[in-house]
Each structure stands twice: as structure tokens, then as C-alpha cells.
Amino acid sequence: YRIGGPPTHLPDKDRFIMEYRTYMCVICGYVYDEEKGAPDDGLPPGTRWEDVPATWKCPDCEATKEDFELIEI
């Protein structure tokens, strides 16, 4: 790193890929896995939770996105 200049080496962006997360509906227990998505509900595999539309509802009980919590599996 040169003082007053840009870094001479930029990290490889692929080294910073986040792991997929899982969210559970607190109303009915439905689990949304980012890796699997919800293709039947228009969310292809790999869809991150932050990219799920605010209008999306739980496919099992119609709960809103706000009724989901991050869980560790």
C-alpha cells in the first residue's frame, strides 16, 4: 500500500462470497433457505433474503417477510 495512492493489490472478489443463510417463519415454521430459494413462489435458487420482495408471503401461512427470523441449521 502506497501512502497517498490506491492499493497496489485489490483482493479477489470471489474470496468474499457470503454463505447462504436460512430463515424460519415464526408463525408456522416454514423454512426459507437462500441456497434453495422457493422456485414455486418465484424465488430461484440463490435468492438472498434481502432480495426477496417485501410483498412476498410465506407459502404455507401467508405471513409477511417480517415474520421470519434468521436461524442457524
Side-chain angles (χ1 to χ4, degrees):
Y1 191 115
R2 292 177 291 145
I3 296 175
T8 56
H9 171 67
L10 297 175
D12 182 349
K13 68 179 181 173
D14 293 334
R15 292 174 44 203
F16 298 103
I17 294 176
M18 292 176 37
E19 291 185 18
Y20 289 112
R21 295 170 293 184
T22 307
Y23 294 81
M24 185 178 72
C25 176
V26 297
I27 307 298
C28 73
Y30 172 84
V31 173
Y32 176 77
D33 183 333
E34 291 178 332
E35 186 173 14
K36 295 177 184 175
D40 293 343
D41 298 299
L43 302 175
T47 302
R48 298 292 186 177
W49 186 246
E50 55 268 14
D51 297 327
V52 173
T55 56
W56 182 80
K57 296 191 180 212
C58 175
D60 288 350
C61 75
E62 301 277 318
T64 66
K65 189 175 168 186
E66 292 177 359
D67 293 313
F68 280 74
E69 291 184 353
L70 177 64
I71 61 170
E72 300 259 346
I73 294 186

